[in-house]
Amino acid sequence: MTDCIFCKIIKGEIPCLRIYEDKDVLAFLDIAPVNRGHALVIPKKHYADFTDMPDEAVKQVFVAAKKVADGVMKGVNANGFNLGMNNRKVAGQLVMHAHVHIMPRFEGDGFKLWEGKKYLEGEAKKVMESINKKLK
Ligand code: AMP
Ligand code: ZN
């Protein structure tokens, strides 16, 4: 993908602060961290988002993410971390090259998670059935 910023990082055309690399995966510091040590783990091949990734790439990225998360935690003395993936524009994906966020957490860092909503009466069962059908 010629106009993809993360493909340009992989090719070395744009600099990054690399923290981990293997033949299939690259991890580097996010340029606008939610907390210090916020990292991105990306497949070296261009896939638009999670569902676009073949199983092999999912495995490569998540196995690397586990390793990177451990290194990030220890490297910045974090107390925990959130693993995140924004998929498609409506979900806040800005860079259309699949990537996993590793966001270190510190006691009292004020980072807020999403709020839960309530289902209407009977709605959850319909939703479950609809999803079940798609997964058969
Ligand atoms: P998303 O909203 O999940 O698509 O997040 C894209 C992330 O990429 C954001 O957190 C940005 O701060 C980060 N980002 C964009 N450009 C760069 C860059 N050149 N180097 C490092 N991180 C970047
Ligand atoms: Zn790309």
Side-chain angles (χ1 to χ4, degrees), residues 121-131:
E121 184 71 32
E123 190 187 6
K125 188 162 178 285
K126 283 191 193 138
V127 169
M128 177 201 73
E129 286 166 355
S130 171
I131 296 171

Side-chain angles (χ1 to χ4, degrees), residues 13-25:
E13 293 170 10
I14 292 178
C16 75
L17 291 172
R18 186 179 58 197
I19 55 173
Y20 173 82
E21 182 169 15
D22 62 34
K23 77 180 197 347
D24 306 301
V25 175

Side-chain angles (χ1 to χ4, degrees), residues 1 4 6 15 19 27 30 32 38 45 47 55 61 64 86 106 109 116 120 127 136:
M1 262 271 193
C4 169
F6 286 177
I19 55 173
D30 194 298
H38 180 169
K45 281 194 195 146
Y47 303 108
D55 292 354
V61 166
N86 302 325
F106 303 91
D109 64 14
L120 300 172
V127 169
K136 272 178 189 153

